[in-house]
Amino acid sequence: KVQGPRSKVHSPKAGGGMVGCALLRKAPPTLLAVIAIATLLPGCKQQDRSGGKQVIVIGFDGMQPDLVREMMLAGRLPNFSSLWEAGGEQGGFSPLQTTIPPQSPVAWATMTTGLNPGGHGIFDFIHRDPAPEGDAPIRPYASYANKTEDHWVIDDLFGYRIPLLPGETQLLRYGKPFWEYLTEAGIPTWIYRMPANYPAQESKGAPFHCLTDMGTPDLKDAQGGTFSYYTSDRREYREKRHVKAGGEVFRMLGKRDTGQYRSHRQKKAWGIGDVELNRLDEHAFIAMFEGPRNSLKANPDEQTPVLVPFTLWRDPEDPVMRIAWQDQVTVLREGEWSDWYPIEFEMIPHLVSIAGECRFLVKEVHPEIRLYVSPFNFDPLDKGAPVSLPLGFAAEVAKATGRYYTQGLPEEFQGLKNKVLTREEFLQQADLVYQERMKLLDFALGHFDHGMMFFYFGSTDMIAHMFWGARTPNHPALTNKAQKKYAHEMERVYEDADRALGEVLRRCPGATVIVLSDHGFDTFTRQFNLNCWLEKNGYLKKAMGPAGWSIDFEHTRAYGMGINGLYVNLQGREKLGIVHPAAKQALLDEISRKLHEVIDPKTGRSAIKKVYQCDQVYSGAHVEIGPDLQIGYNHGYRGGWKTALGGVAEEVLADNTEAWCADHCIATELVPGIILANKPIRADKPALLDIAPTILAEFGIAIPETMEGRNVFAAPDEPVGGPPL
């Protein structure tokens, strides 16, 4: 039975899906040869017109201008200071206006396109479909990528469903990125780890190379990754088995537990018999890696995770562990992180499999087994991995540098939030990410002669989320001991950033170099639960659902969704909308006024700094995607955890006791980013909107009318396109 297309999905652009890549990887060699030749045909590149010019943009996510200035003045960031001094009397350093709201996917999309969110269509990490199919009143979804359905499906072939046209992952960012203008003009362009750019899109003209970052999922399609944690401690397993998000906890079973194993699904999956299980002793364990869900099974009830068996032995005396699976073996000491190892998840035996990679941390060997396994990443050595353009570029990098994290947001914040990793272990893992990024930087500089290069560091943001709060006395998420120990952790991170910049300046002395961050940072001590506030003020009615309090949309006038967004439950837009369009503006004005009046009884401070009415601060063809209000929180505050997905908390204001102790999703004016350059910055109050136009102007390309910014290096009376090459 062949099933045809069921729906049409419209989006800016689309890229290959994960299963499609797996099918391609297993295709016959002759087919692969034909495909390879076909992909070369449109790749005939035009003449290089860069004139030997080099422009390098280094993005350090989340750098706070006050701390950067303080450390430069103290002589602790010598390479940052050299850029500042290179700007002459006008200076090469300035705060950089960020976006509304100052969230990373919103900000990097603006930097990429030169458009405000109304133009590029990304307003938050989380958007909502106001009128989804089915019973749900609304549907939250990731703002920067979406998956389409499979088309032309062979519905049941020996127990499997075979999509002849697999679904695609769509990039939901609108607007033309600056690199398309560059390559069309003959400028070779290298984009290393651009956020909110998954899947990457072709750029015609001059040579173009790209690696993706934020927005790139792991093999389980999780944006922040899904770790696995194995423990032989029954008590720990009971405490941690229901992790909040981003991980799975498993219990290692030994000889004494064979009776429990008889009913375990792993026994059936591997065909293990009682005799083999009885051979396990107190130092031998058997378990499964749980991979991605097998969506190719014809029976939906059988679309369970693909399992890979592994065995684990521990030395009876020494703190040493041996782990074996497939044809791989690693031996690790307690406290040791492994290298990357390949793992293959078979979707259809001998036909379709997905190549992944993982790494391990042995937390304890005796008396209990405690083993952390990283999220399963796309294996960059697999030329079908959808994490680069050209498709095999990720493999070219991996052959030169070794395997590396391919998922976005690689720093393992989920492990720390769920208390599977300690703060020290998180920093060890973050250092592994930094070392990988420095190897990638070495590769990038070694392959860059002329044209434009963008290079991204995310550690400055992810480590700040977990450690910036240590700069705040009496933070509710940190003990006094932890606060004292980590109070200066961010200075160390910024010094690492300075060393990376030093490599760029040393190896490309003639380049125009721009350093920027998309936003700054602030502590996060108190959470404001918007939906709870709306409920207590009569704008929202809550209802008890299977996952706790949710929203009764039939009796709700306004609701929160995402980190900063507020939506009116509007007739004709929301499926269960009750607010007449004529009453919308009065309702927004009333809510805005009341939010500005909120005082936190614990601190005596205003929780809300500014409320932005979106039709007044945004412009462009996609304003309707965004919320009706964006809430700009005050210093120390942020939207509550439950509001992000439409939940309703018990209290309006509460302490933030999570390991995620700092943030930037507050009022835009409070967290500007930075810009440094080895040229004078002549623009008054430069903004993220100005970066794309500035890059084009450096190559003598006229700034398109669609872009909203200006060239930050140009004098007020200079032509917007800058001097020609």
Side-chain angles (χ1 to χ4, degrees):
K1 178 182 177 183
V2 178
Q3 181 178 326
R6 288 172 287 180
S7 64
K8 294 181 179 179
V9 181
H10 301 280
S11 81
K13 295 179 180 179
M18 182 170 67
V19 173
C21 291
L23 285 167
L24 178 61
R25 199 169 66 83
K26 290 288 188 178
T30 52
L31 176 59
L32 291 176
V34 172
I35 293 173
I37 294 171
T39 57
L40 290 175
L41 293 178
C44 299
K45 301 298 181 180
Q46 66 183 60
Q47 182 180 359
D48 180 356
R49 295 194 175 98
S50 65
K53 186 177 181 64
Q54 295 179 324
V55 175
I56 301 175
V57 178
I58 309 296
F60 292 107
D61 202 304
M63 270 194 149
Q64 173 64 21
D66 292 344
L67 182 56
V68 171
R69 182 185 295 272
E70 174 188 321
M71 293 182 68
M72 286 195 298
L73 293 175
R76 299 181 63 181
L77 302 178
N79 297 299
F80 276 62
S81 296
S82 70
L83 285 188
W84 189 3
E85 294 164 1
E89 293 184 3
Q90 278 189 284
F93 170 67
S94 173
L96 188 68
Q97 292 183 48
T98 184
T99 50
I100 301 172
Q103 296 186 30
S104 292
V106 184
W108 289 111
T110 287
M111 177 266 178
T112 295
T113 62
L115 301 172
N116 78 85
H120 60 63
I122 298 180
F123 299 84
D124 198 289
F125 276 97
I126 298 169
H127 285 178
R128 68 37 171 145
D129 181 348
E133 295 181 0
D135 297 331
I138 59 171
R139 180 183 66 89
Y141 63 93
S143 64
Y144 31 76
N146 192 28
K147 283 190 173 181
T148 65
E149 294 183 351
D150 296 334
H151 295 324
W152 300 108
V153 178
I154 301 175
D155 214 32
D156 191 344
L157 182 64
F158 303 109
Y160 292 92
R161 56 184 297 276
I162 310 298
L164 302 181
L165 184 61
E168 296 178 321
T169 300
Q170 302 173 315
L171 178 64
L172 299 183
R173 186 198 68 224
Y174 293 87
K176 189 173 179 177
F178 66 81
W179 53 80
E180 291 190 17
Y181 293 101
L182 292 177
T183 59
E184 287 172 0
I187 311 298
T189 303
W190 306 73
I191 304 294
Y192 289 95
R193 310 293 303 226
M194 176 62 76
N197 190 48
Y198 175 84
Q201 309 299 316
E202 292 286 355
S203 192
K204 298 178 181 179
F208 175 71
H209 295 77
C210 177
L211 293 178
T212 62
D213 199 273
M214 183 187 298
T216 308
D218 67 359
L219 290 192
K220 295 189 177 184
D221 205 32
Q223 293 295 326
T226 303
F227 67 83
S228 302
Y229 181 60
Y230 298 83
T231 177
S232 61
D233 187 325
R234 298 186 182 194
R235 181 176 178 180
E236 182 182 38
Y237 173 72
R238 287 195 300 267
E239 291 174 350
K240 293 182 177 177
R241 61 181 173 176
H242 300 301
V243 298
K244 296 177 182 178
E248 295 172 327
V249 177
F250 305 92
R251 185 161 154 239
M252 303 295 295
L253 301 175
K255 182 177 180 180
R256 64 189 177 187
D257 299 303
T258 56
Q260 297 180 37
Y261 231 122
R262 290 192 185 100
S263 62
H264 199 279
R265 67 179 178 184
Q266 293 176 350
K267 175 184 171 183
K268 181 179 179 182
W270 199 19
I272 301 172
D274 293 338
V275 174
E276 289 151 314
L277 280 174
N278 287 331
R279 290 176 184 168
L280 295 176
D281 59 31
E282 60 181 319
H283 299 299
F285 297 81
I286 190 166
M288 295 281 177
F289 296 123
E290 286 200 359
R293 182 179 63 86
N294 194 342
S295 60
L296 296 184
K297 287 282 190 176
N299 185 348
D301 294 335
E302 296 180 1
Q303 293 182 359
T304 54
V306 180
L307 302 177
V308 172
F310 72 94
T311 51
L312 182 152
W313 294 269
R314 60 179 175 182
D315 188 280
E317 298 179 0
D318 293 333
V320 177
M321 183 182 297
R322 180 176 182 267
I323 308 164
W325 71 101
Q326 293 174 337
D327 59 350
Q328 302 294 318
V329 177
T330 181
V331 178
L332 299 168
R333 297 191 68 83
E334 187 172 284
E336 184 179 2
W337 286 86
S338 76
D339 293 329
W340 285 108
Y341 285 91
I343 185 168
E344 190 165 302
F345 296 99
E346 198 170 55
M347 310 289 280
I348 301 178
H350 311 297
L351 179 62
V352 178
S353 62
I354 298 175
E357 61 173 1
C358 61
R359 68 192 326 162
F360 308 92
L361 168 65
V362 175
K363 288 174 61 69
E364 186 178 329
V365 178
H366 297 288
E368 300 288 352
I369 291 286
R370 305 185 202 278
L371 174 67
Y372 162 88
V373 183
S374 74
F376 299 115
N377 281 218
F378 289 105
D379 185 353
L381 283 173
D382 175 18
K383 293 184 179 181
V387 296
S388 70
L389 279 178
L391 193 60
F393 179 54
E396 180 185 344
V397 173
K399 287 177 183 177
T401 68
R403 285 186 167 93
Y404 51 87
Y405 284 95
T406 55
Q407 73 174 67
L409 306 175
E411 288 79 12
E412 234 299 53
F413 66 92
Q414 297 287 12
L416 180 56
K417 285 180 66 176
N418 286 290
K419 300 181 181 179
V420 165
L421 297 181
T422 65
R423 288 192 173 273
E424 282 303 305
E425 289 166 345
F426 172 86
L427 288 175
Q428 291 168 8
Q429 189 265 348
D431 187 57
L432 293 175
V433 176
Y434 174 77
Q435 292 173 26
E436 287 184 359
R437 206 56 59 100
M438 290 300 290
K439 290 179 182 178
L440 178 61
L441 181 63
D442 179 69
F443 174 92
L445 294 172
H447 288 73
F448 179 65
D449 293 323
H450 48 269
M452 191 273 163
M453 184 179 87
F454 171 86
F455 198 96
Y456 172 76
F457 287 87
S459 297
T460 41
D461 177 89
M462 291 309 303
I463 297 177
H465 278 297
M466 304 301 176
F467 290 90
W468 191 278
R471 303 167 62 84
T472 302
N474 303 314
H475 196 294
L478 295 157
T479 64
N480 290 335
K481 181 180 179 180
Q483 192 163 336
K484 183 177 180 180
K485 182 176 182 179
Y486 300 115
H488 300 289
E489 186 63 33
M490 293 313 302
E491 283 92 326
R492 182 192 66 81
V493 175
Y494 281 26
E495 288 171 344
D496 284 346
D498 187 77
R499 281 190 284 274
L501 175 60
E503 280 297 296
V504 174
L505 298 179
R506 180 179 66 83
R507 295 175 63 174
C508 299
T512 297
V513 178
I514 301 171
V515 169
L516 62 91
S517 67
D518 53 334
H519 51 68
F521 239 89
D522 196 29
T523 190
F524 173 21
T525 58
R526 297 278 283 168
Q527 53 179 312
F528 182 84
N529 294 300
L530 179 59
N531 281 333
C532 182
W533 181 88
L534 290 168
E535 189 263 333
K536 292 185 181 299
N537 283 270
Y539 300 109
L540 178 150
K541 184 176 180 180
K542 63 182 181 180
M544 179 58 72
W549 289 109
S550 59
I551 302 170
D552 176 0
F553 281 90
E554 292 182 343
H555 301 91
T556 288
R557 290 187 288 163
Y559 61 96
M561 179 72 71
I563 301 175
N564 295 86
L566 180 146
Y567 299 84
V568 171
N569 192 21
L570 195 65
Q571 290 180 10
R573 184 180 69 180
E574 269 74 4
K575 180 188 292 187
L576 302 178
I578 65 171
V579 177
H580 193 278
K584 175 185 173 183
Q585 188 58 52
L587 178 61
L588 291 176
D589 291 341
E590 180 182 313
I591 291 174
S592 297
R593 176 178 55 80
K594 288 186 177 181
L595 284 171
H596 280 114
E597 295 171 354
V598 172
I599 301 296
D600 184 352
K602 181 176 180 178
T603 65
R605 298 174 54 228
S606 297
I608 312 297
K609 176 70 173 179
K610 191 168 184 178
V611 178
Y612 309 90
Q613 296 208 17
C614 295
D615 59 359
Q616 298 176 15
V617 297
Y618 298 141
S619 60
H622 308 292
V623 174
E624 74 282 352
I625 297 174
D628 298 305
L629 297 179
Q630 294 279 24
I631 314 302
Y633 296 98
N634 211 343
H635 284 298
Y637 294 83
R638 202 207 71 172
W641 297 103
K642 288 191 175 182
T643 297
L645 292 176
V648 184
E650 298 288 342
E651 300 177 274
V652 174
L653 286 149
D655 283 341
N656 173 37
T657 58
E658 297 281 349
W660 189 285
C661 61
D663 214 286
H664 45 80
C665 302
I666 61 177
T668 295
E669 295 79 3
L670 301 180
V671 280
I674 65 165
I675 180 170
L676 292 101
N678 53 2
K679 295 180 67 172
I681 297 173
R682 295 172 175 166
D684 181 38
K685 296 181 179 179
L688 272 174
L689 278 168
D690 300 327
I691 302 303
T694 300
I695 293 170
L696 299 187
E698 278 296 293
F699 289 100
I701 300 171
I703 298 172
E705 293 183 1
T706 53
M707 286 189 177
E708 302 170 44
R710 62 231 161 121
N711 178 7
V712 300
F713 300 140
D717 56 349
E718 189 173 329
V720 294
L725 289 173

